Amino acid sequence: MRDDITDSPDYCSIEIAMEVLGGRWKLAILKQLLSGTQRFGELRRALPRITQRMLTRQLRELEADGLVTRTVYREVPPKVEYSLTEVGRSLDDIAGLLDAWGRWYRGVHAAGPAASQGRTTAAREDRAAV
Amino acid sequence: MRDDITDSPDYCSIEIAMEVLGGRWKLAILKQLLSGTQRFGELRRALPRITQRMLTRQLRELEADGLVTRTVYREVPPKVEYSLTEVGRSLDDIAGLLDAWGRWYRGVHAAGPAASQGRTTAAREDRAAV
DNA sequence: TGCCCTAGTATCATGATGTATACCATCCGA
DNA sequence: TCGGATGGTATACATCATGATACTAGGGCA
């Protein structure tokens, strides 16, 4: 399902990036792991809005895509550590930029809520060219 | 649904960014629009893998979030032009980086497919610490 | 015996996306 | 006058991704 994209270099490469990073929580997880190895519970506490189920899934997908490494310690209670691979670390600047952009965007909406309130398309169509 | 996130500055701002950009095609569309105003059909041809339905939806969401502007010309056949707002243009460098990363990531997988084939987690758990 | 801990699984409900098709109003050609 | 072509939407349905909640495993401990 992924290979038919990777084979066609003429398509926008962002589509490839979104195949890997498009998950709702992927980049947030990567951002957390940029600060170093963390275990499952730490990630869960750092991202309180994510479900256990989703955290597990996204981590497994990230592992399958070669972005994170999963290390299981056979202890009781269980202990599983996650850390970034080289490929995962290569997203450092992108994650930083997205984080900064998110913070800035929140400010834009707080300052000028017109942008977020312009959800009525009708008014805009009225001033359309004739 | 979005405001409860925007009110809590302690959460990772990437979550905010993903609320807006998380759509499967949002960034690819933005990347296309970075080269200038385009009409619906042009975007559709530039992104052959997206369906009309999804293109319409994602564009409407981007408009609602203040990233793109939609201009309807009352002609027949209809003509609708889409262009980026200032907020949309602020994603220029991020889109560029993601595009470059996608291209690089595709190369990584082509060169060393080990990363993309490590989908069997069992082997890795065996070498886990005891 | 029964409860706690961590890292999950299992189950069900909701949302996002893919696919196919109908629609609209006008222009054009027969 | 009729039917097709046009460009952007809208609807119906199927599938995948995500969310919410409950439950498991297995040793430590009271």
Side-chain angles (χ1 to χ4, degrees), chain A residues 11-111:
Chain A
Y11 291 141
C12 181
S13 300
I14 284 192
E15 298 181 35
I16 299 163
M18 292 312 277
E19 291 264 341
V20 182
L21 309 172
R24 176 79 179 68
W25 300 96
K26 298 269 180 74
L27 280 163
I29 294 172
L30 289 174
K31 172 93 187 318
Q32 281 302 318
L33 288 178
L34 278 171
S35 56
T37 298
Q38 295 192 38
R39 45 189 304 192
F40 188 86
E42 293 177 288
L43 286 173
R44 200 157 71 85
R45 278 185 292 275
L47 305 166
R49 325 182 80 89
I50 192 175
T51 316
Q52 278 195 345
R53 182 179 125 88
M54 261 305 114
L55 184 52
T56 302
R57 273 177 150 277
Q58 306 268 62
L59 280 169
R60 294 293 166 83
E61 290 183 24
L62 288 171
E63 187 198 10
D65 286 325
L67 301 190
V68 312
T69 304
R70 178 167 176 263
T71 311
V72 178
Y73 297 86
R74 303 207 171 284
E75 306 172 354
V76 168
K79 175 180 172 184
V80 182
E81 280 186 347
Y82 293 91
S83 57
L84 291 185
T85 65
E86 274 304 314
V87 183
R89 262 188 297 275
S90 70
L91 287 160
D92 193 348
D93 43 355
I94 291 181
L97 276 177
L98 266 173
D99 189 60
W101 187 87
R103 195 159 24 239
W104 172 81
Y105 180 80
R106 178 177 54 202
V108 166
H109 268 220

Side-chain angles (χ1 to χ4, degrees), chain A residues 6 11 13 15-16 19 24 49 63-65 70 72 90 99 101 105-106 119 121 124-125 128-129, chain B residues 2 6 11 13 15-16 19 24 49 63 65 70 72-73 90 99 101 105-106 115 121 124-125 128:
Chain A
T6 50
Y11 291 141
S13 300
E15 298 181 35
I16 299 163
E19 291 264 341
R24 176 79 179 68
R49 325 182 80 89
E63 187 198 10
D65 286 325
R70 178 167 176 263
V72 178
S90 70
D99 189 60
W101 187 87
Y105 180 80
R106 178 177 54 202
R119 298 180 184 270
T121 318
R124 182 166 293 125
E125 294 190 4
Chain B
R2 178 169 297 137
T6 50
Y11 291 140
S13 300
E15 298 181 37
I16 299 163
E19 290 265 340
R24 175 82 178 68
R49 323 182 81 88
E63 186 198 11
D65 286 326
R70 178 166 176 266
V72 179
Y73 297 86
S90 69
D99 189 60
W101 187 89
Y105 180 81
R106 178 178 53 201
T121 318
R124 185 167 291 123
E125 295 190 3

Side-chain angles (χ1 to χ4, degrees), chain B residues 39-108:
Chain B
R39 44 190 304 192
F40 189 87
E42 293 177 286
L43 287 172
R44 200 157 72 83
R45 278 185 292 275
L47 304 166
R49 323 182 81 88
I50 191 175
T51 53
Q52 282 193 344
R53 179 179 124 92
M54 263 303 114
L55 185 52
T56 303
R57 278 175 149 276
Q58 305 269 64
L59 282 169
R60 294 293 167 85
E61 291 183 24
L62 288 172
E63 186 198 11
D65 286 326
L67 301 190
V68 313
T69 304
R70 178 166 176 266
T71 310
V72 179
Y73 297 86
R74 305 206 170 284
E75 308 172 350
V76 168
K79 174 180 173 184
V80 183
E81 279 186 348
Y82 293 90
S83 57
L84 290 185
T85 64
E86 274 304 312
V87 182
R89 262 188 296 277
S90 69
L91 286 160
D92 194 348
D93 43 356
I94 291 180
L97 277 178
L98 266 173
D99 189 60
W101 187 89
R103 194 159 24 239
W104 171 81
Y105 180 81
R106 178 178 53 201
V108 166

Side-chain angles (χ1 to χ4, degrees), chain B residues 2-23:
Chain B
R2 178 169 297 137
D3 305 85
D4 51 348
I5 275 195
T6 50
D7 292 352
S8 48
D10 37 320
Y11 291 140
C12 180
S13 300
I14 286 192
E15 298 181 37
I16 299 163
M18 292 312 278
E19 290 265 340
V20 182
L21 310 172

